[in-house]
PDB file of all heavy atoms in Angstrom:
ATOM      1  N   ASN A1212      88.671 180.309  24.766  1.00 96.00           N
ATOM      2  CA  ASN A1212      87.729 179.522  25.575  1.00 96.00           C
ATOM      3  C   ASN A1212      87.344 180.074  26.907  1.00 96.00           C
ATOM      4  O   ASN A1212      87.460 179.437  27.990  1.00 96.00           O
ATOM      5  CB  ASN A1212      88.321 178.102  25.749  1.00 96.00           C
ATOM      6  CG  ASN A1212      88.608 177.427  24.488  1.00 96.00           C
ATOM      7  OD1 ASN A1212      87.840 177.503  23.517  1.00 96.00           O
ATOM      8  ND2 ASN A1212      89.771 176.753  24.400  1.00 96.00           N
ATOM      9  N   PRO A1213      86.946 181.358  26.981  1.00 98.00           N
ATOM     10  CA  PRO A1213      86.455 181.876  28.333  1.00 98.00           C
ATOM     11  C   PRO A1213      85.191 181.220  28.767  1.00 98.00           C
ATOM     12  O   PRO A1213      84.305 180.857  27.914  1.00 98.00           O
ATOM     13  CB  PRO A1213      86.339 183.352  27.965  1.00 98.00           C
ATOM     14  CG  PRO A1213      85.931 183.470  26.535  1.00 98.00           C
ATOM     15  CD  PRO A1213      86.735 182.322  25.892  1.00 98.00           C
ATOM     16  N   MET A1214      85.027 181.106  30.069  1.00 98.00           N
ATOM     17  CA  MET A1214      83.763 180.605  30.677  1.00 98.00           C
ATOM     18  C   MET A1214      83.396 181.610  31.787  1.00 98.00           C
ATOM     19  O   MET A1214      84.252 182.134  32.495  1.00 98.00           O
ATOM     20  CB  MET A1214      83.974 179.170  31.178  1.00 98.00           C
ATOM     21  CG  MET A1214      84.287 178.089  30.171  1.00 98.00           C
ATOM     22  SD  MET A1214      84.343 176.489  30.871  1.00 98.00           S
ATOM     23  CE  MET A1214      84.915 175.544  29.453  1.00 98.00           C
ATOM     24  N   TYR A1215      82.092 181.679  32.004  1.00 98.00           N
ATOM     25  CA  TYR A1215      81.616 182.444  33.108  1.00 98.00           C
ATOM     26  C   TYR A1215      81.150 181.501  34.216  1.00 98.00           C
ATOM     27  O   TYR A1215      80.373 180.612  34.051  1.00 98.00           O
ATOM     28  CB  TYR A1215      80.356 183.273  32.635  1.00 98.00           C
ATOM     29  CG  TYR A1215      79.661 184.002  33.777  1.00 98.00           C
ATOM     30  CD1 TYR A1215      80.153 185.224  34.268  1.00 98.00           C
ATOM     31  CD2 TYR A1215      78.597 183.408  34.407  1.00 98.00           C
ATOM     32  CE1 TYR A1215      79.530 185.864  35.296  1.00 98.00           C
ATOM     33  CE2 TYR A1215      77.976 184.059  35.464  1.00 98.00           C
ATOM     34  CZ  TYR A1215      78.417 185.295  35.897  1.00 98.00           C
ATOM     35  OH  TYR A1215      77.842 185.969  36.967  1.00 98.00           O
ATOM     36  N   HIS A1216      81.856 181.657  35.363  1.00 98.00           N
ATOM     37  CA  HIS A1216      81.577 180.754  36.484  1.00 98.00           C
ATOM     38  C   HIS A1216      80.454 181.321  37.305  1.00 98.00           C
ATOM     39  O   HIS A1216      80.399 182.514  37.730  1.00 98.00           O
ATOM     40  CB  HIS A1216      82.841 180.643  37.367  1.00 98.00           C
ATOM     41  CG  HIS A1216      82.634 179.770  38.578  1.00 98.00           C
ATOM     42  ND1 HIS A1216      83.424 179.757  39.712  1.00 98.00           N
ATOM     43  CD2 HIS A1216      81.679 178.730  38.807  1.00 98.00           C
ATOM     44  CE1 HIS A1216      83.020 178.887  40.520  1.00 98.00           C
ATOM     45  NE2 HIS A1216      82.044 178.241  40.073  1.00 98.00           N
ATOM     46  N   ALA A1217      79.415 180.497  37.488  1.00 98.00           N
ATOM     47  CA  ALA A1217      78.237 180.894  38.238  1.00 98.00           C
ATOM     48  C   ALA A1217      78.074 179.956  39.476  1.00 98.00           C
ATOM     49  O   ALA A1217      78.121 178.752  39.291  1.00 98.00           O
ATOM     50  CB  ALA A1217      76.945 180.829  37.459  1.00 98.00           C
ATOM     51  N   ILE A1218      78.051 180.474  40.648  1.00 98.00           N
ATOM     52  CA  ILE A1218      77.780 179.700  41.844  1.00 98.00           C
ATOM     53  C   ILE A1218      76.304 179.776  42.222  1.00 98.00           C
ATOM     54  O   ILE A1218      75.768 180.843  42.331  1.00 98.00           O
ATOM     55  CB  ILE A1218      78.624 180.190  43.125  1.00 98.00           C
ATOM     56  CG1 ILE A1218      80.113 179.964  42.836  1.00 98.00           C
ATOM     57  CG2 ILE A1218      78.208 179.520  44.392  1.00 98.00           C
ATOM     58  CD1 ILE A1218      81.028 180.524  43.859  1.00 98.00           C
ATOM     59  N   LEU A1219      75.610 178.585  42.265  1.00 98.00           N
ATOM     60  CA  LEU A1219      74.238 178.597  42.512  1.00 98.00           C
ATOM     61  C   LEU A1219      73.968 178.980  43.975  1.00 98.00           C
ATOM     62  O   LEU A1219      74.475 178.312  44.914  1.00 98.00           O
ATOM     63  CB  LEU A1219      73.671 177.229  42.312  1.00 98.00           C
ATOM     64  CG  LEU A1219      72.196 177.035  42.610  1.00 98.00           C
ATOM     65  CD1 LEU A1219      71.304 177.877  41.635  1.00 98.00           C
ATOM     66  CD2 LEU A1219      71.791 175.525  42.545  1.00 98.00           C
ATOM     67  N   PRO A1220      73.240 180.073  44.239  1.00 98.00           N
ATOM     68  CA  PRO A1220      72.922 180.479  45.616  1.00 98.00           C
ATOM     69  C   PRO A1220      72.280 179.317  46.411  1.00 98.00           C
ATOM     70  O   PRO A1220      71.261 178.739  45.891  1.00 98.00           O
ATOM     71  CB  PRO A1220      71.991 181.659  45.485  1.00 98.00           C
ATOM     72  CG  PRO A1220      72.362 182.294  44.117  1.00 98.00           C
ATOM     73  CD  PRO A1220      72.669 181.063  43.274  1.00 98.00           C
ATOM     74  N   ALA A1221      72.746 179.063  47.602  1.00 97.00           N
ATOM     75  CA  ALA A1221      72.224 177.955  48.436  1.00 97.00           C
ATOM     76  C   ALA A1221      72.598 176.601  47.949  1.00 97.00           C
ATOM     77  O   ALA A1221      72.147 175.567  48.589  1.00 97.00           O
ATOM     78  CB  ALA A1221      70.713 178.085  48.698  1.00 97.00           C
ATOM     79  N   GLY A1222      73.355 176.480  46.864  1.00 97.00           N
ATOM     80  CA  GLY A1222      73.839 175.229  46.447  1.00 97.00           C
ATOM     81  C   GLY A1222      75.045 174.768  47.232  1.00 97.00           C
ATOM     82  O   GLY A1222      75.635 175.561  48.050  1.00 97.00           O
ATOM     83  N   PHE A1223      75.540 173.531  47.011  1.00 97.00           N
ATOM     84  CA  PHE A1223      76.650 173.083  47.767  1.00 97.00           C
ATOM     85  C   PHE A1223      77.959 173.855  47.525  1.00 97.00           C
ATOM     86  O   PHE A1223      78.753 173.981  48.387  1.00 97.00           O
ATOM     87  CB  PHE A1223      76.915 171.609  47.456  1.00 97.00           C
ATOM     88  CG  PHE A1223      75.811 170.725  48.061  1.00 97.00           C
ATOM     89  CD1 PHE A1223      75.087 169.873  47.245  1.00 97.00           C
ATOM     90  CD2 PHE A1223      75.579 170.669  49.417  1.00 97.00           C
ATOM     91  CE1 PHE A1223      74.067 169.048  47.775  1.00 97.00           C
ATOM     92  CE2 PHE A1223      74.595 169.870  49.936  1.00 97.00           C
ATOM     93  CZ  PHE A1223      73.821 169.027  49.121  1.00 97.00           C
ATOM     94  N   GLU A1224      78.135 174.402  46.333  1.00 97.00           N
ATOM     95  CA  GLU A1224      79.276 175.219  46.027  1.00 97.00           C
ATOM     96  C   GLU A1224      79.338 176.428  46.961  1.00 97.00           C
ATOM     97  O   GLU A1224      80.322 176.840  47.425  1.00 97.00           O
ATOM     98  CB  GLU A1224      79.350 175.512  44.552  1.00 97.00           C
ATOM     99  CG  GLU A1224      80.627 176.089  44.075  1.00 97.00           C
ATOM    100  CD  GLU A1224      80.793 176.141  42.568  1.00 97.00           C
ATOM    101  OE1 GLU A1224      79.721 176.204  41.860  1.00 97.00           O
ATOM    102  OE2 GLU A1224      81.901 176.061  42.085  1.00 97.00           O
ATOM    103  N   HIS A1225      78.149 177.114  47.041  1.00 97.00           N
ATOM    104  CA  HIS A1225      77.991 178.245  47.837  1.00 97.00           C
ATOM    105  C   HIS A1225      78.301 177.943  49.336  1.00 97.00           C
ATOM    106  O   HIS A1225      79.157 178.570  50.032  1.00 97.00           O
ATOM    107  CB  HIS A1225      76.524 178.737  47.698  1.00 97.00           C
ATOM    108  CG  HIS A1225      76.229 179.982  48.489  1.00 97.00           C
ATOM    109  ND1 HIS A1225      74.994 180.510  48.584  1.00 97.00           N
ATOM    110  CD2 HIS A1225      76.987 180.847  49.269  1.00 97.00           C
ATOM    111  CE1 HIS A1225      74.965 181.561  49.362  1.00 97.00           C
ATOM    112  NE2 HIS A1225      76.196 181.809  49.757  1.00 97.00           N
ATOM    113  N   LYS A1226      77.732 176.808  49.825  1.00 97.00           N
ATOM    114  CA  LYS A1226      77.864 176.445  51.186  1.00 97.00           C
ATOM    115  C   LYS A1226      79.334 176.071  51.547  1.00 97.00           C
ATOM    116  O   LYS A1226      79.813 176.523  52.548  1.00 97.00           O
ATOM    117  CB  LYS A1226      76.929 175.222  51.522  1.00 97.00           C
ATOM    118  CG  LYS A1226      75.447 175.662  51.443  1.00 97.00           C
ATOM    119  CD  LYS A1226      74.519 174.401  51.580  1.00 97.00           C
ATOM    120  CE  LYS A1226      73.103 174.888  51.479  1.00 97.00           C
ATOM    121  NZ  LYS A1226      72.173 173.684  51.544  1.00 97.00           N
ATOM    122  N   LEU A1227      79.931 175.252  50.651  1.00 97.00           N
ATOM    123  CA  LEU A1227      81.255 174.784  50.978  1.00 97.00           C
ATOM    124  C   LEU A1227      82.281 175.954  51.008  1.00 97.00           C
ATOM    125  O   LEU A1227      83.154 176.064  51.812  1.00 97.00           O
ATOM    126  CB  LEU A1227      81.639 173.687  49.991  1.00 97.00           C
ATOM    127  CG  LEU A1227      81.075 172.324  50.217  1.00 97.00           C
ATOM    128  CD1 LEU A1227      81.333 171.354  49.082  1.00 97.00           C
ATOM    129  CD2 LEU A1227      81.625 171.723  51.535  1.00 97.00           C
ATOM    130  N   LEU A1228      82.179 176.848  49.915  1.00 96.00           N
ATOM    131  CA  LEU A1228      83.210 177.929  49.832  1.00 96.00           C
ATOM    132  C   LEU A1228      83.002 178.898  50.991  1.00 96.00           C
ATOM    133  O   LEU A1228      84.004 179.492  51.396  1.00 96.00           O
ATOM    134  CB  LEU A1228      83.072 178.582  48.462  1.00 96.00           C
ATOM    135  CG  LEU A1228      83.652 177.818  47.305  1.00 96.00           C
ATOM    136  CD1 LEU A1228      83.270 178.486  45.967  1.00 96.00           C
ATOM    137  CD2 LEU A1228      85.134 177.667  47.429  1.00 96.00           C
ATOM    138  N   GLN A1229      81.848 179.071  51.512  1.00 94.00           N
ATOM    139  CA  GLN A1229      81.638 180.047  52.570  1.00 94.00           C
ATOM    140  C   GLN A1229      81.982 179.337  53.917  1.00 94.00           C
ATOM    141  O   GLN A1229      82.567 179.941  54.824  1.00 94.00           O
ATOM    142  CB  GLN A1229      80.223 180.546  52.642  1.00 94.00           C
ATOM    143  CG  GLN A1229      80.022 181.605  53.767  1.00 94.00           C
ATOM    144  CD  GLN A1229      78.829 182.501  53.560  1.00 94.00           C
ATOM    145  OE1 GLN A1229      78.413 182.717  52.395  1.00 94.00           O
ATOM    146  NE2 GLN A1229      78.234 182.967  54.571  1.00 94.00           N
ATOM    147  N   GLY A1230      81.562 178.080  54.107  1.00 93.00           N
ATOM    148  CA  GLY A1230      81.670 177.454  55.388  1.00 93.00           C
ATOM    149  C   GLY A1230      83.001 176.724  55.664  1.00 93.00           C
ATOM    150  O   GLY A1230      83.570 176.837  56.741  1.00 93.00           O
ATOM    151  N   LEU A1231      83.462 175.997  54.611  1.00 92.00           N
ATOM    152  CA  LEU A1231      84.625 175.163  54.821  1.00 92.00           C
ATOM    153  C   LEU A1231      85.874 175.857  55.448  1.00 92.00           C
ATOM    154  O   LEU A1231      86.564 175.352  56.268  1.00 92.00           O
ATOM    155  CB  LEU A1231      85.019 174.443  53.461  1.00 92.00           C
ATOM    156  CG  LEU A1231      86.020 173.358  53.538  1.00 92.00           C
ATOM    157  CD1 LEU A1231      85.719 172.286  52.519  1.00 92.00           C
ATOM    158  CD2 LEU A1231      87.451 173.965  53.214  1.00 92.00           C
ATOM    159  N   PRO A1232      86.145 177.101  55.013  1.00 91.00           N
ATOM    160  CA  PRO A1232      87.314 177.842  55.562  1.00 91.00           C
ATOM    161  C   PRO A1232      87.162 178.206  57.033  1.00 91.00           C
ATOM    162  O   PRO A1232      88.092 178.552  57.702  1.00 91.00           O
ATOM    163  CB  PRO A1232      87.424 179.065  54.730  1.00 91.00           C
ATOM    164  CG  PRO A1232      86.740 178.711  53.444  1.00 91.00           C
ATOM    165  CD  PRO A1232      85.634 177.870  53.860  1.00 91.00           C
ATOM    166  N   GLN A1233      85.964 177.974  57.584  1.00 94.00           N
ATOM    167  CA  GLN A1233      85.732 178.224  59.010  1.00 94.00           C
ATOM    168  C   GLN A1233      86.216 177.026  59.854  1.00 94.00           C
ATOM    169  O   GLN A1233      86.497 177.193  61.067  1.00 94.00           O
ATOM    170  CB  GLN A1233      84.323 178.500  59.354  1.00 94.00           C
ATOM    171  CG  GLN A1233      83.711 179.766  58.607  1.00 94.00           C
ATOM    172  CD  GLN A1233      84.543 181.011  58.864  1.00 94.00           C
ATOM    173  OE1 GLN A1233      84.926 181.323  59.978  1.00 94.00           O
ATOM    174  NE2 GLN A1233      84.792 181.669  57.764  1.00 94.00           N
ATOM    175  N   GLU A1234      86.339 175.872  59.220  1.00 97.00           N
ATOM    176  CA  GLU A1234      86.725 174.690  59.931  1.00 97.00           C
ATOM    177  C   GLU A1234      88.073 174.769  60.582  1.00 97.00           C
ATOM    178  O   GLU A1234      88.254 174.352  61.734  1.00 97.00           O
ATOM    179  CB  GLU A1234      86.587 173.468  59.067  1.00 97.00           C
ATOM    180  CG  GLU A1234      85.173 173.141  58.673  1.00 97.00           C
ATOM    181  CD  GLU A1234      84.954 172.122  57.507  1.00 97.00           C
ATOM    182  OE1 GLU A1234      86.000 171.589  57.001  1.00 97.00           O
ATOM    183  OE2 GLU A1234      83.833 171.837  57.143  1.00 97.00           O
ATOM    184  N   PRO A1235      89.097 175.350  59.874  1.00 96.00           N
ATOM    185  CA  PRO A1235      90.371 175.494  60.533  1.00 96.00           C
ATOM    186  C   PRO A1235      90.334 176.381  61.760  1.00 96.00           C
ATOM    187  O   PRO A1235      91.137 176.161  62.721  1.00 96.00           O
ATOM    188  CB  PRO A1235      91.233 176.162  59.406  1.00 96.00           C
ATOM    189  CG  PRO A1235      90.691 175.676  58.139  1.00 96.00           C
ATOM    190  CD  PRO A1235      89.163 175.674  58.415  1.00 96.00           C
TER     191      PRO A1235
END
């Protein structure tokens, strides 16, 4: 059951994964 993970550019997944770690 392999799956290919795609992050939509400019979507919330992109924004959160790039930005959220800056909060600390």
Side-chain angles (χ1 to χ4, degrees):
N1212 304 317
M1214 295 185 188
Y1215 174 83
H1216 181 201
I1218 293 175
L1219 178 67
F1223 288 121
E1224 192 165 28
H1225 181 186
K1226 292 172 182 176
L1227 284 168
L1228 285 171
Q1229 183 162 332
L1231 189 147
Q1233 302 305 314
E1234 293 169 1

